[in-house]
Amino acid sequence: MAFPDITRELIDRIVTPPDKLIFLTGSGISYEAGYPTWDDFVINLLVGSGALPDRDSARGYLAAAGNRQVIAEGARAACHATAVKQGVDPDDAWRSLVARALHPANTPDDAIAPPTTLHYILARHAAAHGLSILTTNFDLLHEGAAADYNRSDVFVLDDFQPSESFISDNNGNDRYLPTVFHLHGYVDDTMSWEGGTLTGFTSVNPIVTQSDYNKVLHDKSSWQLELLNAIRTSGFSLFIVGHSLTDHDLQAWFEAIRNSASRSCNSDESASPTESVPLGYLVIAKESLGGLQDLGDADFADYRRLLEKQWEQLGITVLITEHFSDATTLIEEYLYRYGAGSTSRSDNQSPQERVSHIFNSVVSGNRLETTSRAFVKCATLNLKDDRLARSDVSVWLADGSHQLHRIGKQGHVFLIPEVVKTISTRPGSMWVAAQALHSETQQVETKGIEHWDAILGQRVTISQPNKPPTVCGSVTIAVQLADDADTGSKNAQDLADAIVEDHALHDYLDKLVKDVADVLERQLAPLA
């Protein structure tokens, strides 16, 4: 589901109030910031250690061998062997390799990626309630978001003592600095050049290989388990996002916590703070489920029930979305319900309800022609560029039912819905208009496009009184190269790439999006 398809039922599954919710994040939320996936990270280890000669070989080995933690053992063995030959401490060499695998370019500029919107949302939530953030990620994006939000430094921790607290008395204090606990260690990306050598770039207590996981699993009093137990016994729920929970230690920890809570309830007749709240919530994107992502709601129903029952056994409530990016929308909408603008959980419409209302308000009945004419005035590209033979601007609106409708097109006015082009917003869509719904940045395609050499797309977000911002559609620009510019496939591709990298085209798309949002807001104002 794209933003327009997030339902009230999905949001209602989160029953824990925000001040009793602690976020546990995985690599999925850092991928949006440009960090490698777990597979790419292991490939970087294999190639960086010299265990395999190139990325293609490493990728093929991953596909054949399976278990990433065991594969990482081979990378560590190769790294240690090389370090011994070079007279370098093997452990130092491995920690440095882990850091380089997270930042393959190994440059100071590459080392610090900007946090995503979700990182900032979680930082604000933690600061507002005096809570910590937990992560299995090596990167410091949570620290970066919190530092930007508070304009100060943040604590980085990979340890916890039972005598400590994961809660601060400074909740509500704008100067509160959330503590980030790195359950699997972290990469210190404080880097500097000294005499032409990059220094200060290493990892701290990284849990990467199977032996790393075995060690922490066998430690029944590990600081990670102590922390998770403290969170649970204090009546808090975990909200797990960007994670598949394939890490064996997390599964074992959750099982241990659930069993501990069960024994505690059986031995103590008094009410426990853990009885009324779930152990946690887990966001699963259909996009991560391979061939299942293309199934419709009816065909996916059995798999949905199976996933929900599977995690219920560990006390985890599953929240199934279509796309990875849906987690940001889901969390933002959930937190808004409890914010200052909300008087109760039921007051606020879901994204799906708001988008459906917007679509019906500006398209139903005789409003389609009025809206289409208004969009035609916006949908013109007056960009002067001799490299372009022709261009086309389209305005798309979502209906809240997994579909986008092109109700605005350069030079066309639509009178009846039957002639309007409709596309799906589900995962795997090849349409830039649909892809744009899931991204905060402009989307660009220059390869394999019929009739066009390049298409750019950007989502449309509108503001309405007493409601959170609503992503309700997208605008696309398609361009075709002039004949004299197309002197060959390679040159044409290079030229198409150069055109879409031109700031003028991106700026124009940004202006079109603002104009479309203004049209929608003006049309909706009398209906508010």
Side-chain angles (χ1 to χ4, degrees), residues 404-455:
L404 269 178
H405 305 266
R406 183 169 62 184
I407 64 172
K409 179 174 167 60
Q410 189 169 330
H412 293 72
V413 175
F414 299 109
L415 305 179
I416 56 175
E418 288 75 14
V419 299
V420 172
K421 187 175 188 63
T422 300
I423 62 175
S424 172
T425 63
R426 292 188 183 276
S429 174
M430 300 303 293
W431 291 83
V432 174
Q435 296 168 10
L437 288 177
H438 314 301
S439 177
E440 299 171 24
T441 59
Q442 293 183 2
Q443 298 298 290
V444 179
E445 183 57 71
T446 61
K447 296 180 176 64
I449 310 170
E450 189 175 2
H451 306 307
W452 301 100
D453 293 302
I455 298 178

Side-chain angles (χ1 to χ4, degrees), residues 146-261:
D148 286 349
Y149 179 62
N150 289 290
R151 300 292 187 268
S152 187
D153 296 328
V154 195
F155 299 104
V156 182
L157 293 180
D158 67 334
D159 194 5
F160 175 78
Q161 301 298 326
S163 59
E164 298 175 356
S165 176
F166 56 90
I167 311 169
S168 170
D169 293 331
N170 295 327
N171 55 309
N173 185 340
D174 288 340
R175 303 304 303 170
Y176 170 65
L177 304 175
T179 300
V180 182
F181 289 97
H182 288 262
L183 304 184
H184 288 171
Y186 64 93
V187 166
D188 182 356
D189 55 11
T190 305
M191 301 165 61
S192 61
W193 292 98
E194 295 181 7
T197 302
L198 194 62
T199 63
F201 189 43
T202 187
S203 55
V204 180
N205 300 329
I207 297 176
V208 179
T209 67
Q210 188 63 53
S211 56
D212 294 333
Y213 280 90
N214 290 342
K215 181 179 179 181
V216 74
L217 276 173
H218 293 153
D219 185 356
K220 302 306 180 184
S221 59
S222 67
W223 71 265
Q224 295 96 330
L225 185 55
E226 294 281 0
L227 172 60
L228 292 170
N229 260 320
I231 289 172
R232 181 57 180 166
T233 55
S234 299
F236 286 79
S237 294
L238 292 169
F239 194 109
I240 307 153
V241 58
H243 226 297
S244 64
L245 284 190
T246 53
D247 291 322
H248 298 156
D249 55 353
L250 280 177
Q251 295 182 25
W253 289 334
F254 290 146
E255 178 67 18
I257 294 169
R258 189 181 69 86
N259 291 339
S260 175

Side-chain angles (χ1 to χ4, degrees), residues 387-388 446-447 452-454 479-500:
R387 298 171 296 178
L388 302 182
T446 61
K447 296 180 176 64
W452 301 100
D453 293 302
V479 296
Q480 185 181 48
L481 303 177
D483 289 339
D484 58 355
D486 191 356
T487 57
S489 59
K490 183 178 186 301
N491 289 340
Q493 182 64 62
D494 291 344
L495 183 55
D497 291 338
I499 289 172
V500 299

Side-chain angles (χ1 to χ4, degrees), residues 319-393:
L319 308 169
I320 299 178
T321 66
E322 296 276 355
H323 295 265
F324 294 119
S325 61
D326 292 335
T328 300
T329 300
L330 176 61
I331 292 169
E332 195 166 26
E333 291 286 327
Y334 154 75
L335 294 176
Y336 182 86
R337 285 193 176 193
Y338 287 92
S342 175
T343 55
S344 75
R345 285 175 54 86
S346 60
D347 272 356
N348 297 293
Q349 292 179 317
S350 69
Q352 182 192 49
E353 292 167 329
R354 299 202 304 274
V355 168
S356 178
H357 173 73
I358 291 168
F359 182 80
N360 291 327
S361 297
V362 302
V363 172
S364 63
N366 60 1
R367 298 191 187 99
L368 173 59
E369 179 180 355
T370 302
T371 303
S372 185
R373 288 188 183 280
F375 283 155
V376 165
K377 294 179 180 179
C378 300
T380 56
L381 184 63
N382 298 319
L383 193 64
K384 303 299 182 184
D385 194 324
D386 294 337
R387 298 171 296 178
L388 302 182
R390 66 189 182 105
S391 62
D392 185 48
V393 177

Side-chain angles (χ1 to χ4, degrees), residues 136-147:
T136 57
N137 296 341
F138 298 142
D139 62 70
L140 303 183
L141 291 179
H142 286 301
E143 287 82 354

